[in-house]
Amino acid sequence: MRVVVLTGAGISAESGVPTFRDADGLWEGHAVEDVATPEAFDRDPDTVQRFYDARRRALASVEPNPAHRALARLEGALGDDLLLVTQNVDDLHERAGSQRLVHMHGELLRALCASCGAQPMWDADLIDAPPCPACGVTALRPDVVWFGEMPYGLDRIEQAVIGCDVFAAIGTSGAVYPAAGYSALAAAFGAHTVELNLVPTDALTPFDEVRTGPASITVPAWADELIAAASASTGRAESDGMER
Ligand code: BJW
């Protein structure tokens, strides 16, 4: 059973990381579509660097929750048959133990050098314009994907989505493309699609199954069902082999 899981800000909400489009969203009154852009960074780099510096520092005081840990357990059961695609820039999936992971919108704990393209791991502030460790130029920005920029790992993600048997979208509003299009793509190639969200979203192509509630409750229950199904099918294959 090949599974693709797409996560969004909702999976980290119960860890204390604010979402983007809920009432107390991250950008405090600004529409994220207006401010998460290269143009906004060019206009006012210091404000943007300070905002990301504060979010990077805040990572030190949050922890993975049971939903992140359940997806790491699922990877333990499925191995290479699971691909976890996250839109989140936090590192809570890694800290929970996930390894087969694509950060399609980048990572807070990486910088991107606008001069040479290096992407060093980065856990300090950027506001004081430190030099790039690769080329020495002071042109580091957060390695996050803003509107109009190309997300990371698209070929790998699309291959996995087209080939999966189960596609799950967890804690994402489905407002941002290309991520928002993956459930329809998976469905078009025959996958069972499932949404796990606090409230159902208005997906253009409806999910086959919708599980409503906080991710810390719904995700462990769903993951445990998949783990049981995967282990039953392995057991069946092994006993078929013994009978032959
Ligand atoms: C809970 C919960 C709990 C709460 N339990 N659930 C059509 C096709 C292709 C592209 C476009 C298109 N139309 C327009 C575009 C361009 C654009 C776009 O999508 N615009 C929209 C406004 C329409 N997209 C882009 O520009 C992207 N690049 C691109 O398209 O390149 C060219 C290309 C073309 C064709 C193919 C491929 C590529 C780049 C998008 C970059 C997004 N960047 C951001 C900021 C990152 C940095 C940062 O963190 O500051 O990424 S914006 C922001 O939104 C962030 C998120 O990753 C992203 C998604 O948000 P998410 O995760 O869904 O969060 P919320 O807040 O929206 O929702 C939270 C959900 O959780 C809710 O549903 C709650 O109910 C739920 N929830 N508590 C369970 N406890």
Side-chain angles (χ1 to χ4, degrees):
M1 176 174 40
R2 285 160 304 174
V3 179
V4 174
V5 175
L6 171 71
T7 63
I11 196 168
S12 296
E14 291 164 80
S15 293
V17 182
T19 61
F20 293 90
R21 294 173 184 80
D22 293 312
D24 53 352
L26 252 175
W27 292 87
E28 291 165 356
H30 301 282
V32 61
E33 290 77 9
D34 296 336
V35 284
T37 65
E39 293 76 21
F41 181 62
D42 289 346
R43 260 195 319 270
D44 188 357
D46 284 4
T47 299
V48 176
Q49 294 283 27
R50 269 195 210 93
F51 174 72
Y52 282 96
D53 283 350
R55 284 173 63 191
R56 195 180 302 103
R57 271 187 254 122
L59 286 184
S61 56
V62 298
E63 297 288 337
N65 67 53
H68 299 101
R69 288 195 287 273
L71 295 180
R73 277 205 310 282
L74 186 60
E75 182 182 317
L78 296 180
D80 285 337
D81 284 341
L82 177 77
L83 181 66
L84 177 53
V85 178
T86 188
Q87 299 170 83
N88 298 342
V89 297
D90 66 52
D91 64 341
L92 294 178
H93 284 305
E94 287 93 328
R95 282 202 258 154
S98 289
Q99 294 179 350
R100 291 159 176 96
L101 170 68
V102 181
H103 273 280
M104 67 179 295
H105 290 164
E107 298 173 62
L108 271 177
L109 293 177
R110 255 182 220 283
L112 170 65
C113 177
S115 179
C116 74
Q119 294 170 290
M121 296 303 296
W122 202 268
D123 63 5
D125 286 353
L126 288 171
I127 183 68
D128 297 327
C132 168
C135 71
V137 175
T138 55
L140 292 175
R141 55 164 271 190
D143 189 10
V144 299
V145 178
W146 289 318
F147 286 103
E149 297 183 321
M150 194 58 85
Y152 290 116
L154 294 184
D155 288 346
R156 182 179 176 198
I157 297 168
E158 279 165 24
Q159 285 305 313
V161 169
I162 284 168
C164 73
D165 304 298
V166 177
F167 176 89
I170 301 175
T172 176
S173 59
V176 175
Y177 287 86
Y182 290 148
S183 61
L185 183 64
F189 280 83
H192 176 78
T193 59
V194 50
E195 168 168 60
L196 297 98
N197 200 310
L198 207 50
V199 292
T201 57
D202 284 334
L204 288 176
T205 305
F207 287 85
D208 295 321
E209 188 186 345
V210 177
R211 298 188 179 202
T212 310
S216 64
I217 305 291
T218 57
V219 178
W222 174 76
D224 286 344
E225 285 173 31
L226 249 64
I227 292 168
S231 116
S233 88
T234 308
R236 267 196 308 278
E238 278 169 7
S239 68
D240 285 354
M242 282 166 65
E243 280 162 20
R244 260 184 245 128

